[in-house]
Amino acid sequence: MKKLFFMLSTLFLLVGCSNGEKAGTEDSFEYTVDKFADIQILRYKVPGFEDLSLQQKELIYYLSEAALEGRDILFDQHNKYNLTIRRTLEGIYENYSGDKNSDDFKHLEIYLKRIWMANGIHHHYSEDKILPGFSKEYFSEAINSVDPAKLPIKDGTSVDGLIETLTPVMFDPTIMPKRINQAAGVDLVETSAVNFYEGVSQKEVEAFYDKMKDPNDNTPISYGLNSKVVKENGVVTEQVYKLGGMYSPAIERIVKWLEKAANVAENDKQKQVILSLIDFYKTGSLKKYDEYSVLWVKDLDSRVDFVNGFTETYTDPLGMKGTWEAIVNFKDMEATKRTELISENAQWFEDNSPVDKQFKKDEVKGVSAKVIDVAMIGGDCYPGTPLGINLPNADWIRRDHGSKSVTIANIADAYNKASLGNGFAEEFMWSEVEIERAKKYGALTSNLHTDLHECLGHGSGKLLPGVDSDALRAYGSPLEETRADLFGLYYLGDPKLVELGLLPDNEAYKAQYYSYLMNGAMTQLTRIQSGKDIEQAHMRNRQSIATWVLEHAKESNAAELKQRDGKTYVVINDYEKIRELFGELLAEIQRIKSTGDFEAAKNYIETYGVKVNQSIHNEVLKRYEALNLSPYSGFVNPVYTLVTNDSGEVTDVTISYDEGYIEQHLRYSKQYSTLPNNN
Ligand code: ZN
C-alpha cells in the first residue's frame, strides 16, 4: 500500500513494449540525460502545462518552490554527515585547481552524482554505504587545493578538522555501513545510519513511545512522525520538526511558498488544505497533521494537487519517522477521458464478452481510473520517483475517509520513451515489423490494456449463487489477474475500440499482443534467478496466458517459438486466431472463477504459470545481461519561470526542459539550501 514505488513488474512491462526509436528521442526531446554507476537519469515532459489557466500555473509554481525547499531536510534525515559531505564535494567539484580530467577527479564526480541520486552517502535502494572510487589521500589533496571559503567550515573548525571528521565516514566500510538495518537480534536504532535517533537505544525509544500510546484510541496520531529522538540531560525527548524547532530554516521557506500558493488556490476547499498544512508546519502538532490529511483526501475536484511533508516511514528502522517528500501534480485530462469512455461503455463490453451467459453480470459498472502528470518532484520523490501515489498512510483515516490512489502518466511515459533506444526490442523481437509496430503503437496499446484491465476486467463476471469467494484459495489471486488481463487482451483486438476512437486502426492491437506473449513467455524471466520458480501472482498470470496460448496455437500454427542464430523468438503468424484463443481462455478462466472450481484453477496455474523453461530462462538472462541496462532510474525536473510585467504582476509561467543533472543539483544546493552543517 502507500506509495507505489516504481514496481519492477510495471517497469518490465514497459520495457517489454519498448520500441525501436533511436537514443530515446521524440520531437528532439531528450529523455535520457545521464548514465553513471548503476543509474540512468531521465527527463519527464509535463504535457498540458501550457493549457492550464494562469492561476493554476502560478499555483504550480509556488507549490513547486515549496517542493524544492525541503531537499536539505531529507539529506540530514538520512545521515547527520550528509550535508557536510555533499557541500564539501560540491566545493571541490566547482573550485578544484588540479586536473579535472584525471581519473581521480572523474571518480569524485561519479561519487557526487551517486550522493545526489541517493540524497546521501547510502545507496537509495540497497541501503549500503557508497564507497568512493578515489583514495583518502586524493580527497585530502583535493580539499587542500580549494579556497577554504568555498568549504563548509564552521567557526572554530578548520580544513584539517573537516578532513578528519569526514574521512572515516566516507572511506571506512565498517562505519555506518547501512542506512537502515533490519537484521534481527541487534539494536536497530544504534546500527542504522539514519539521523532519526541520537544517543538513545532501541529499547529507550520504544519505551518512550509506548508510554504515549493509548491502546483504546480509535483515531491515533502518527506517533513520532516528525521528530528526532535524543537524550537531553539524561532524559529521552523529541526534537520536533517545525517552525522554530528542528529544520526551522527550511520549514520557514516552505511555509512562505505555501502561503503564496494558498492565495492562488483553485477553490476554497483547496485553500483550506494548504492553510491546514501551514498550520501543521507552524505547530508541529500531529493532530493538525491528521486534520490536514483528512482535508487533503477529500479534495477531489481540484485539477492541481500536491504532497508536501513528512510522509513515508520506510527509512526508519522502527517505521515511525517520516522522510520529507513532495510532489506537485495535475489531472491528465486526456488519460482520464479515456478511462471515462471505457467505463461508460462497461455494459457493452460485459454483454459482448465470450464468457458463458450465466457467468456474466446483468448490470456492470466500470470504474474510472485517475491519472495525473507530475509537474515537480522533491525530497524523497526525487531523483528516484514513484509511478503512483496512494495516501494518506494513517489506517484510521483510510478507514473513515478513504484514500487517494493515482497513477502518474508522464513518469511512466518517460520510462517507456527512454527504453526505445536501449536495444531491448532489437534483441528480443523477431523482426523489423514487430519493432516498428511497437514503436508506433506500443505505448498507446500498453496503457489501454492497463485501463481495460483496471476499469473493466476486475469488475466483470459474477460468481454463481453459493460459491465461496475464497474457493480458489492461493490460486485465486493469479487467476484473478489472468481474468482481468485476458478481458483486456480480448477487447484490444475488437473493432469496437477503433469505433470508440480509443485506437487509431485495426493494426494497433498487434503491438500489445506481440509484447504480451514475448514478455510472458520470455523476457519477464529476467527478474527471476536461474533455477527458481515463479512466485509472484502477476508474473504467474502472464506466463500462464503466454504458454497456454502458445501451446494451443500449435495446431493452427498461429504462433510459435522460433530459433534463429541460436536465439529464441516469439513469432505470431495469425493475430486473429490469437484473439480467438484469448477469448477461449477467458471463457474458461471465468468458468473456473464463477463455479469455484479449485482443481481446475490449481491445474491451470501449476501447469502454465509456475515452472520455468530452464533453457529459455538461461538464454534470456544471458541476452539481457549483455544489453548492460541500468537497473535504477532517477529524474531531473523541468524549470519554471515567473513572467511579470512592468508593475510586477505575474502574466505567465514558462516551463523549460534544458537543465542537466549536474547543473540542476549544483543550482538546488545553492538556491534551496538553508540548513546548517553538522561537522
Ligand atoms: Zn489487476
Side-chain angles (χ1 to χ4, degrees):
M1 59 180 251
K2 303 178 179 179
K3 193 168 68 184
L4 313 163
F5 261 99
F6 77 82
M7 293 170 295
L8 281 172
S9 59
T10 316
L11 179 59
F12 273 80
L13 196 67
L14 294 166
V15 171
C17 31
S18 68
N19 315 331
E21 213 168 323
K22 285 282 164 278
T25 63
E26 182 206 54
D27 313 329
S28 76
F29 189 88
E30 290 286 337
Y31 285 93
T32 306
V33 177
D34 205 343
K35 204 173 177 225
F36 51 89
D38 53 357
I39 309 288
Q40 61 169 344
I41 299 293
L42 309 178
R43 192 191 301 286
Y44 61 90
K45 260 188 190 173
V46 187
F49 178 78
E50 275 90 357
D51 305 326
L52 296 173
S53 71
L54 176 59
Q55 190 184 356
Q56 287 168 328
K57 287 184 192 172
E58 223 181 318
L59 175 61
I60 285 175
Y61 179 83
Y62 297 133
L63 290 172
S64 294
E65 291 296 305
L68 296 173
E69 294 286 5
R71 178 167 172 263
D72 277 6
I73 295 177
L74 183 70
F75 269 83
D76 192 69
Q77 285 183 309
H78 278 165
N79 184 261
K80 64 183 272 194
Y81 296 103
N82 276 338
L83 283 175
T84 311
I85 292 175
R86 190 192 80 201
R87 287 169 180 156
T88 301
L89 293 166
E90 287 168 349
I92 297 173
Y93 186 78
E94 292 193 286
N95 303 288
Y96 183 55
S97 54
D99 179 8
K100 286 197 171 184
N101 288 313
S102 70
D103 270 6
D104 280 328
F105 190 81
K106 280 185 185 140
H107 279 297
L108 185 134
E109 180 181 274
I110 291 172
Y111 181 57
L112 180 56
K113 283 179 174 179
R114 297 183 74 185
I115 287 176
W116 287 330
M117 173 67 195
N119 291 286
I121 57 171
H122 296 86
H123 192 274
H124 74 285
Y125 190 80
S126 76
E127 311 282 350
D128 294 326
K129 191 160 85 179
I130 302 164
L131 292 170
F134 52 91
S135 67
K136 291 177 210 177
E137 291 71 28
Y138 178 75
F139 180 55
S140 163
E141 178 215 306
I143 289 191
N144 278 303
S145 86
V146 172
D147 175 0
K150 307 285 185 191
L151 295 170
I153 296 172
K154 284 197 294 197
D155 292 344
T157 62
S158 61
V159 173
D160 285 347
L162 185 66
I163 296 171
E164 208 178 302
T165 307
L166 299 189
T167 300
V169 178
M170 285 167 54
F171 292 90
D172 187 336
T174 64
I175 293 176
M176 303 188 193
K178 280 221 161 251
R179 186 166 69 182
I180 164 171
N181 184 22
Q182 286 171 309
V186 293
D187 187 309
L188 302 180
V189 165
E190 280 167 1
T191 57
S192 294
V194 282
N195 189 27
F196 297 127
Y197 311 97
E198 194 162 352
V200 287
S201 68
Q202 182 178 348
K203 274 213 174 86
E204 286 172 319
V205 175
E206 284 166 351
F208 178 75
Y209 284 111
D210 282 348
K211 225 171 14 187
M212 280 186 200
K213 288 177 188 166
D214 170 6
N216 298 317
D217 187 352
N218 207 21
T219 59
I221 57 166
S222 302
Y223 289 97
L225 187 73
N226 62 335
S227 64
K228 176 175 175 175
V229 179
V230 296
K231 223 181 249 178
E232 273 170 14
N233 306 317
V235 181
V236 178
T237 184
E238 279 183 324
Q239 292 177 343
V240 177
Y241 312 151
K242 63 171 187 173
L243 212 64
M246 195 170 175
Y247 300 141
S248 188
I251 291 173
E252 224 169 275
R253 295 253 201 115
I254 294 167
V255 166
K256 185 194 83 180
W257 291 116
L258 288 176
E259 281 167 347
K260 285 179 183 282
N263 286 334
V264 291
E266 291 173 89
N267 52 61
D268 195 54
K269 221 173 179 177
Q270 189 180 50
K271 187 173 182 164
Q272 294 311 316
V273 174
I274 300 171
L275 292 177
S276 74
L277 177 60
I278 293 172
D279 220 16
F280 163 65
Y281 276 130
K282 284 184 170 168
T283 59
S285 154
L286 288 167
K287 273 261 178 254
K288 297 270 181 205
Y289 180 68
D290 285 348
E291 283 171 28
Y292 152 72
S293 298
V294 170
L295 288 172
W296 178 82
V297 86
K298 288 181 174 167
D299 177 19
L300 298 170
D301 300 328
S302 308
R303 176 97 190 261
V304 177
D305 203 356
F306 70 99
V307 175
N308 185 304
F310 306 99
T311 311
E312 300 293 351
T313 57
Y314 308 121
T315 317
D316 174 10
L318 303 185
M320 287 188 291
K321 307 292 171 195
T323 47
W324 193 89
E325 70 171 40
I327 291 186
V328 184
N329 66 77
F330 58 97
K331 207 196 243 180
D332 185 318
M333 297 314 252
E334 207 176 309
T336 305
K337 223 192 286 165
R338 197 174 66 212
T339 63
E340 278 168 4
L341 189 59
I342 290 170
S343 120
E344 277 161 23
N345 287 278
Q347 193 65 53
W348 184 90
F349 287 105
E350 183 76 357
D351 293 346
N352 289 278
S353 90
V355 160
D356 194 299
K357 215 171 170 201
Q358 57 173 324
F359 307 137
K360 286 185 187 178
K361 267 200 183 112
D362 300 328
E363 229 179 293
V364 62
K365 274 204 182 92
V367 292
S368 174
K370 285 195 186 66
V371 185
I372 60 164
D373 293 308
V374 299
M376 185 60 74
I377 46 183
D380 216 0
C381 297
Y382 169 88
T385 308
L387 273 177
I389 305 168
N390 188 343
L391 288 171
N393 284 333
D395 288 327
W396 74 265
I397 299 179
R398 298 173 76 89
R399 180 194 69 209
D400 295 352
H401 303 282
S403 63
K404 276 190 209 170
S405 175
V406 296
T407 55
I408 306 176
N410 60 337
I411 296 294
D413 188 54
Y415 276 120
N416 225 327
K417 296 279 168 49
S419 74
L420 300 190
N422 69 11
F424 187 88
E426 287 78 359
E427 176 59 39
F428 288 105
M429 290 186 176
W430 173 245
S431 75
E432 276 303 311
V433 176
E434 287 79 17
I435 295 171
E436 281 304 308
R437 212 182 265 137
K439 179 172 153 185
K440 197 166 170 193
Y441 305 113
L444 172 67
T445 53
S446 162
N447 286 339
L448 196 53
H449 184 220
T450 305
D451 294 339
L452 291 165
H453 174 120
E454 299 294 346
C455 303
L456 301 177
H458 282 307
S460 75
K462 67 173 181 197
L463 300 183
L464 289 187
V467 171
D468 179 0
S469 60
D470 287 330
L472 306 180
R473 288 178 275 173
Y475 300 104
S477 172
L479 207 88
E480 175 57 21
E481 294 310 324
T482 303
R483 201 175 67 91
D485 258 0
L486 284 166
F487 200 93
L489 286 166
Y490 178 77
Y491 276 118
L492 264 184
D494 197 300
K496 179 80 176 176
L497 294 198
V498 180
E499 199 184 294
L500 288 172
L502 292 165
L503 285 179
D505 53 52
N506 291 320
E507 185 75 5
Y509 77 97
K510 295 177 182 173
Q512 178 65 2
Y513 275 27
Y514 187 83
S515 288
Y516 194 92
L517 292 187
M518 179 185 81
N519 184 58
M522 293 178 58
T523 51
Q524 73 162 352
L525 294 174
T526 53
R527 297 163 53 199
I528 303 280
Q529 279 180 319
S530 182
K532 291 251 161 73
D533 287 344
I534 299 179
E535 307 276 351
Q536 209 266 344
H538 289 88
M539 291 185 70
R540 286 185 166 186
N541 142 42
R542 291 184 203 122
Q543 172 169 298
S544 73
I545 292 176
T547 49
W548 187 96
V549 166
L550 283 168
E551 185 184 292
H552 288 76
K554 263 183 201 153
E555 202 185 319
S556 60
N557 198 30
E560 61 196 309
L561 287 177
K562 240 181 177 165
Q563 300 280 322
R564 188 176 61 206
D565 303 331
K567 292 176 176 178
T568 312
Y569 298 88
V570 169
V571 177
I572 298 181
N573 303 313
D574 182 348
Y575 279 89
E576 271 177 48
K577 179 69 191 167
I578 296 299
R579 178 166 188 248
E580 271 173 41
L581 289 170
F582 284 143
E584 205 179 294
L585 183 57
L586 172 60
E588 170 59 5
I589 298 294
Q590 184 63 56
R591 182 201 67 76
I592 294 173
K593 169 141 179 150
S594 291
T595 59
D597 188 343
F598 175 80
E599 280 307 318
K602 180 180 170 189
N603 187 38
Y604 170 78
I605 295 293
E606 293 291 345
T607 306
Y608 299 103
V610 179
K611 292 280 175 241
V612 174
N613 178 321
Q614 296 297 321
S615 78
I616 287 184
H617 189 189
N618 290 329
E619 178 198 319
V620 166
L621 288 177
K622 229 167 90 192
R623 288 165 69 186
Y624 184 73
E625 203 184 292
L627 291 173
N628 200 16
L629 304 179
S630 306
Y632 307 105
S633 300
F635 284 84
V636 291
N637 281 315
V639 181
Y640 298 93
T641 311
L642 278 188
V643 182
T644 50
N645 63 15
D646 292 344
S647 39
E649 289 161 347
V650 177
T651 55
D652 198 6
V653 180
T654 58
I655 181 169
S656 66
Y657 298 102
D658 39 27
E659 196 167 37
Y661 181 67
I662 295 174
E663 290 166 85
Q664 181 150 93
H665 283 276
L666 290 175
R667 180 172 69 86
Y668 284 3
S669 291
K670 293 190 177 76
Q671 204 172 332
Y672 305 103
S673 194
T674 49
L675 298 184
N677 298 305
N678 213 346
N679 59 317

